[in-house]
């Protein structure tokens, strides 16, 4: 009998640990989320109906006003729109909670703008700004069900809409985490500031202006960036650095007017072929970038970063199955190792038309957008220059404008290269005391491993925050990894949204 | 004195030859065109407002009805729509003129369908199915002017619309040439039949059915195909053969869902890079196709064809300036020589998005449409197979469907290849007596050289006509060479339309 009840108690304890293995405070936040899911998700889905492309200042103003309303409803103080010096820039939305006795301040960051959308590429029945609820991911046979006002939401359900995970979900998790603390009478241990940006997906071109202009208001001991996905294993992760990022827009020129492919095919140059040959020259068959010096400048990982990297759970085989791929581009590297290298990706390329719009012609131009991701040590302008130098070695005349007739008559291979703005990579030391507190706080929200990532693949404006405010930053993502961020069918898993509240809440009361 | 007047007469004679150096009948047709330009162009522009993509049977029916009306107005007999066996296929439009005493019959062919349109690619102010009149080509500073009902039209003016030159212009030139003969009391020397196709730009997939079903009606001694452009030098040309044509649609597969280029860039495969490497492998730096056996099977030119080719005026330097290119793709060949070789052209390619729609993602697929042009001796299915065999040598698994999960897990490089239908090339001997008559008739319409082309770059369904009716065909194009055929900003020069009437009229009365 004795043994049996001990065994029973042990089982109960293990169940308790695996199912409710969070601190009592974390459990309270999760309970609040479950019991208020209808209200939380109702407000969220209203937020998601507002188009949020950074280049649309009118649309962005509506989003900013909506967030102001969300904060005011929650009794957050000193709410205001922080404008840049440049006019017609989507404002950052600010608010704060002064906690009696608190000596230090955390700023919670998320962004409310989203990547541009091409509605035609979304699956049938989905629209970027008409959020829909599904019983699971689309590729896991999820079916559309109506939003409901009661609180009966399942963790595996998903909301599909632009911004669902990147990063309106972050705004919603942060503000509802604060609500959950307040309703449960839990006092934050830090003064809290909230900063929601409206231009992150456009590369934060005016964030420096906003930070400089409102420097006094934005003092803090730590910025917590809530953006990006949790680990592919489903485990929570803390991210200490981000890849930098910059783009190059390439346009290769052929004939000034489109030509009939029969009358001129294989006499007049084809811009698609010229571009294909150029792009093809940039990588070898093992996925390694062949551009001279491309992997130079990289700052090596510190011993503790190397150790953290070694402890990242292996997800390669799982991800290959999930993504339906048989092999990886960069031979011999794990995903986390690949992310700690600079990369070159073809975001898009186009020449003429394909599919139903295809016609038998030689197009006039071929274009490609290259995405260069950077790691610590890389400089974005230097990285761009390496690519441009490579293009020159391939026999191209490089210009920044459409070629003149004179240039056309002089050069066989002409390319326009537009250098987009960029940001460098950033990495915060894991050994800082406040960072150790972050790690401890997140560990209290789960019995599972917390993955420590020296570098996240995504690019967040932490470099700018560090540079203009001399601030310390850490990134704590909450979205499911299969959220289709930046692409069609963006979505967030309900469980990730509600757990995200727990994570954010834990940070507000970290000790 | 004597000498001076002789010299004066000689000058007058030379002016007469160069400016009005046509046979009296040709001059009468041109005069009729000039004096009725308002009416002719008015009817033409109404015709051009009718959308004419072959895959739209409802739209095509309206075009067919319009042509029926045009023929009936002109007293052309036995007008009827010739349907295919397959339902919902755009009909061919037929009519005839039985000439008392005529022993032989000519069939005049043109097509009323046009290539698919992407209105966004047309220049500002232009729409494919809203024809506009300009004082010159757009790239020669042409400005938009209203159509007028009077007959004051300038030869250099242009009409911009889909089908203007390819090939509603052909329909209009043929029917108005007949009008001009009739109004001038000139009796055709042959029975005349008219056959206007509605699916040429889709590769004439049902022309064989129409020809077989209406075989008895369509007997003739010669088909005259009015399609394509005159020589780039502006000289008239007669074309004895056409390139064959077929397309291959390629889709390269990467991850099943679009991925964030930061989180996965250079770990997950990029389909654009895979496609670029594949396309790039298909040609060497001198523009020569590297696919095994690509130039095999080619039937050599006969001595008279080789001679004709040598006499084609050199247009290479003019064309380079006009097209704004410094070099050609196929090194060491003249344009006419290049056209007498099989070709491989990238009609279009796309992966992800570019321009304003670009986003930082790894797309799921990359697609390209390849256009294979064929010459005499090539077989379109054999030519497709050579390309597919090459793709396999590049390490791809080739499928005809979207890959299954099993295929995805098994193969690193997967491509879907869709074989479109095709037609083989064709060439008519220049030495046939009726062809000699055609050459003589066209020579009577101009004092300039008439260019004899063994092969035209464009692909016309002459192969099908030859095969199913055992007919002889010859192609007599009329459009300006810079007509943007198959692409945005398609146009016809007024002078080419009116001279085209002269050309067609000359054939109706050839001796």
């Amino acid at each position: 009998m004795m043994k049996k009840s001990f065994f029973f108690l042990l089982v109960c304890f293990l169940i308790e640990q695996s199912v409710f293995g969070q601190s009592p405070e974390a459990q309270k936040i999760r309970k609040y989320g479950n019991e208020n899911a209808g209200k939380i998700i109702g407000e969220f889905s209203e937020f998601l109906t507002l188009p949020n492309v950074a280049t649309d200042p009118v649309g962005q103003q509506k989003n900013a006003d909506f967030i102001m309303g969300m904060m005011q409803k929650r009794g957050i103080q000193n709410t205001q729109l922080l404008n840049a010096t440049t006019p017609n820039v989507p404002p950052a939305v600010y608010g704060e909670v002064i906690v009696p006795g608190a000596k230090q301040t955390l700023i919670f960051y998320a962004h409310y703008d989203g990547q541009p959308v091409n509605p035609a590429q979304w699956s049938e029945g989905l629209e970027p700004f008409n959020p829909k609820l599904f019983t699971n991911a689309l590729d896991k046979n999820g079916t559309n069900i109506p939003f409901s006002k009661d609180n009966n939401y399942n963790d595996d359900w998903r909301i599909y809409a632009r911004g669902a995970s990147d990063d309106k979900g972050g705004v919603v998790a942060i503000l509802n985490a604060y609500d959950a603390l307040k309703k449960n009478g839990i006092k934050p241990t830090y003064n809290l500031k909230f900063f929601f940006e409206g231009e992150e997906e456009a590369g934060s071109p005016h964030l420096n202006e906003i930070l400089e202009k409102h420097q006094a208001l934005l003092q803090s001991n730590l910025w917590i960036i809530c953006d990006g996905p949790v680990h592919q294993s489903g485990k929570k992760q803390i991210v200490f650095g981000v890849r930098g990022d910059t783009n190059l827009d390439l346009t290769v020129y052929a004939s000034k007017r489109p030509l009939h492919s029969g009358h001129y095919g294989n006499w007049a140059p084809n811009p698609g072929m010229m571009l294909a040959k150029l792009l093809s020259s940039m990588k070898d068959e093992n996925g390694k970038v062949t551009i001279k010096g491309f992997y130079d400048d990289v700052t090596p990982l510190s011993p503790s970063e190397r150790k953290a990297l070694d402890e990242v759970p292996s997800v390669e085989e799982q991800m290959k199955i999930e993504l339906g791929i048989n092999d990886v581009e960069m031979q011999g590297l794990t995903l986390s190792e690949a992310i700690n290298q600079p990369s070159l990706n073809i975001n898009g390329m186009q020449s003429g038309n394909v599919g139903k719009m295809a016609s038998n012609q030689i197009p006039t131009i071929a274009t490609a957008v290259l995405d260069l991701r950077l790691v610590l040590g890389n400089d974005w302008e230097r990285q761009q220059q390496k690519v441009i130098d490579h293009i020159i070695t391939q026999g191209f005349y490089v210009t920044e404008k459409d070629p003149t007739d004179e240039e056309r008559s002089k050069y066989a291979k002409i390319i326009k290269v537009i250098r987009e703005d960029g940001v460098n990579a950033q990495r915060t030391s894991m050994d800082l005391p406040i960072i150790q507190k972050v790690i401890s706080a997140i560990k209290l929200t789960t019995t599972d491993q917390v993955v420590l990532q020296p570098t996240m693949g995504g690019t967040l404006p932490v470099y700018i925050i560090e540079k203009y405010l001399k601030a310390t930053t850490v990134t704590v993502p909450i979205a499911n990894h299969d959220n289709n961020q930046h692409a069609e069918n963006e979505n967030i898993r309900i469980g990730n949204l509600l757990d995200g509240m727990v994570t954010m809440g834990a940070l507000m009361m970290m000790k």
Side-chain angles (χ1 to χ4, degrees), chain A:
Chain A
M1 273 306 266
M2 191 60 185
K3 273 191 177 169
K4 206 167 174 186
S5 6
F6 173 76
F7 183 71
F8 177 75
L9 282 171
L10 180 67
V11 168
C12 289
F13 173 76
L14 289 172
I15 291 174
E16 174 85 10
Q17 282 295 308
S18 60
V19 182
F20 306 107
Q22 303 169 317
S23 70
E25 290 86 355
Q27 287 178 39
K28 281 183 190 163
I29 301 174
R30 180 62 213 235
K31 189 158 173 275
Y32 173 87
N34 289 345
E35 289 172 357
N36 294 276
K39 195 180 70 179
I40 292 168
I41 289 164
E43 182 187 49
F44 186 22
S45 70
E46 194 185 335
F47 188 18
L48 291 171
T49 62
L50 304 175
N52 68 338
V53 180
T55 48
D56 165 22
V58 177
Q60 289 301 73
Q61 187 65 45
K62 287 184 192 155
N63 280 283
D65 292 344
F66 190 90
I67 298 171
M68 284 283 276
M70 287 174 81
M71 292 206 280
Q72 284 155 3
K73 257 196 277 179
R74 285 159 174 86
I76 292 171
Q77 304 131 22
N78 199 15
T79 52
Q80 55 190 291
L81 300 181
L82 307 185
N83 283 300
T85 323
T86 307
N88 291 320
V89 166
V93 191
Y94 176 86
E96 63 186 30
V97 173
I98 302 303
V99 177
K103 294 204 177 104
Q104 295 201 315
T105 302
L106 302 177
I107 301 190
F108 285 82
Y109 167 102
H111 64 87
Y112 62 88
D113 66 310
Q115 283 274 330
V117 291
N118 184 348
Q121 292 174 335
W122 288 56
S123 289
E124 209 182 317
L126 291 184
E127 297 159 60
F129 301 112
N130 183 9
K132 296 222 168 129
L133 185 66
F134 278 74
T135 57
N136 207 324
L138 282 186
D139 57 7
K140 290 175 183 157
N141 300 319
T143 55
N144 184 210
I145 51 171
F147 287 99
S148 85
K149 285 193 177 163
D150 72 30
N151 301 313
N152 180 23
Y153 275 85
N154 184 304
D155 271 8
D156 281 330
W157 293 359
R158 299 199 183 204
I159 301 170
Y160 280 84
R162 171 59 84 230
S165 57
D166 183 21
D167 182 28
K168 286 182 174 178
V171 176
V172 167
I174 291 167
L175 294 180
N176 285 302
Y178 174 68
D179 254 0
L181 260 59
K182 202 172 166 185
K183 300 284 163 58
N184 280 291
I186 303 170
K187 192 175 132 185
T189 47
Y190 287 76
N191 295 314
L192 307 177
K193 294 182 177 176
F194 304 98
F195 183 94
F196 301 120
E197 194 195 350
E199 279 197 320
E200 198 270 342
E201 298 296 358
S204 303
H206 303 95
L207 181 59
N208 59 341
E209 292 180 10
I210 295 175
L211 298 183
E212 281 195 311
K213 196 168 159 187
H214 306 281
Q215 209 165 354
L217 194 65
L218 298 173
Q219 288 309 304
S220 75
N221 300 87
L222 181 67
W223 282 66
I224 293 166
I225 314 295
C226 180
D227 196 4
V230 301
H231 192 250
Q232 289 90 347
S233 60
K235 298 180 204 293
K236 295 194 181 191
Q237 69 181 355
I238 308 173
V239 178
F240 302 94
V242 292
R243 272 176 153 178
D245 189 29
T246 189
N247 285 1
L248 288 173
D249 294 316
L250 313 182
T251 307
V252 170
Y253 294 81
S255 167
K256 280 159 82 168
R257 65 165 195 265
L259 296 172
H260 186 291
S261 66
H263 295 310
Y264 296 95
N266 281 198
W267 184 78
N270 182 297
M273 183 56 81
M274 289 162 80
L275 180 65
K277 285 203 171 284
L278 174 62
L279 295 173
S280 173
S281 75
M282 294 183 182
K283 284 196 181 177
D284 67 17
E285 285 295 334
N286 297 320
K288 200 172 169 191
V289 177
T290 51
I291 292 168
K292 197 179 163 194
F294 196 81
Y295 298 103
D296 295 352
D297 319 323
V298 175
T299 304
L301 296 174
S302 73
S304 59
E305 288 164 344
R306 181 69 242 182
K307 180 170 174 283
L309 205 60
D310 291 341
E311 287 171 3
V312 172
S314 170
V315 290
E316 287 68 25
E317 293 312 311
Q318 168 206 329
M319 289 308 300
K320 279 190 200 170
I321 293 165
E322 190 177 315
L323 303 180
I325 57 177
N326 161 286
D327 205 355
V328 298
E329 189 177 57
M330 190 68 142
Q331 297 292 319
L333 295 188
T334 67
L335 176 52
S336 291
E337 283 168 343
I339 284 170
N340 281 283
Q341 292 287 335
S343 75
L344 182 149
N345 181 64
I346 304 172
N347 279 350
M349 62 183 196
Q350 183 162 20
S351 183
N353 294 302
V354 296
K356 281 186 189 161
M357 304 299 298
S359 65
N360 282 329
Q361 57 151 315
I362 308 174
T364 56
I365 56 169
T367 58
V369 180
L370 294 186
D371 179 42
L372 305 177
R373 297 281 170 170
L374 315 170
V375 294
L376 207 64
N378 291 145
D379 172 78
W380 64 270
E381 288 177 288
R382 199 163 59 227
Q383 206 72 351
Q384 287 182 336
Q385 192 57 50
K386 289 176 199 168
V387 179
I388 293 170
D389 290 346
H390 174 84
I391 293 173
I392 293 168
T393 68
Q394 298 300 304
F396 278 89
Y397 169 71
V398 176
T399 168
E400 292 177 358
K401 293 183 207 157
D402 288 345
T404 61
D405 284 352
E406 203 189 329
E407 288 168 321
R408 284 177 166 279
S409 73
K410 205 164 162 189
Y411 304 105
K413 292 160 85 174
I414 301 177
I415 191 169
K416 179 170 73 178
V417 180
I418 302 295
R419 298 163 175 258
E420 302 288 345
D421 272 345
V423 288
N424 286 344
Q426 179 278 344
R427 211 146 73 210
T428 296
S429 165
M430 296 180 190
D431 305 322
L432 296 177
I434 199 164
I435 296 297
Q436 285 297 318
K437 288 186 189 173
V438 167
I439 296 173
S440 303
I442 305 294
K443 283 187 173 167
L444 281 175
T445 68
T446 175
T447 53
D448 204 350
Q449 177 191 2
V450 174
V451 178
L452 307 181
Q453 287 277 21
T455 301
M456 179 168 82
T459 297
L460 306 172
V462 288
Y463 167 78
I464 303 171
I465 296 169
E466 226 181 32
K467 180 171 168 188
Y468 286 90
L469 297 179
K470 315 275 174 245
T472 305
T473 64
V474 70
T475 299
V476 186
I478 62 166
N480 41 300
H481 77 279
D482 58 347
N483 64 56
N484 281 22
Q485 200 178 353
H486 288 202
E488 58 270 22
N489 304 348
E490 181 178 340
N491 66 86
I492 193 161
R493 189 175 157 274
I494 298 294
N496 282 70
L497 182 72
L498 300 179
D499 277 343
M501 283 172 55
V502 177
T503 306
M504 292 298 118
L507 294 168
M508 292 175 188
M509 54 182 175
M510 71 184 190
K511 298 210 167 89

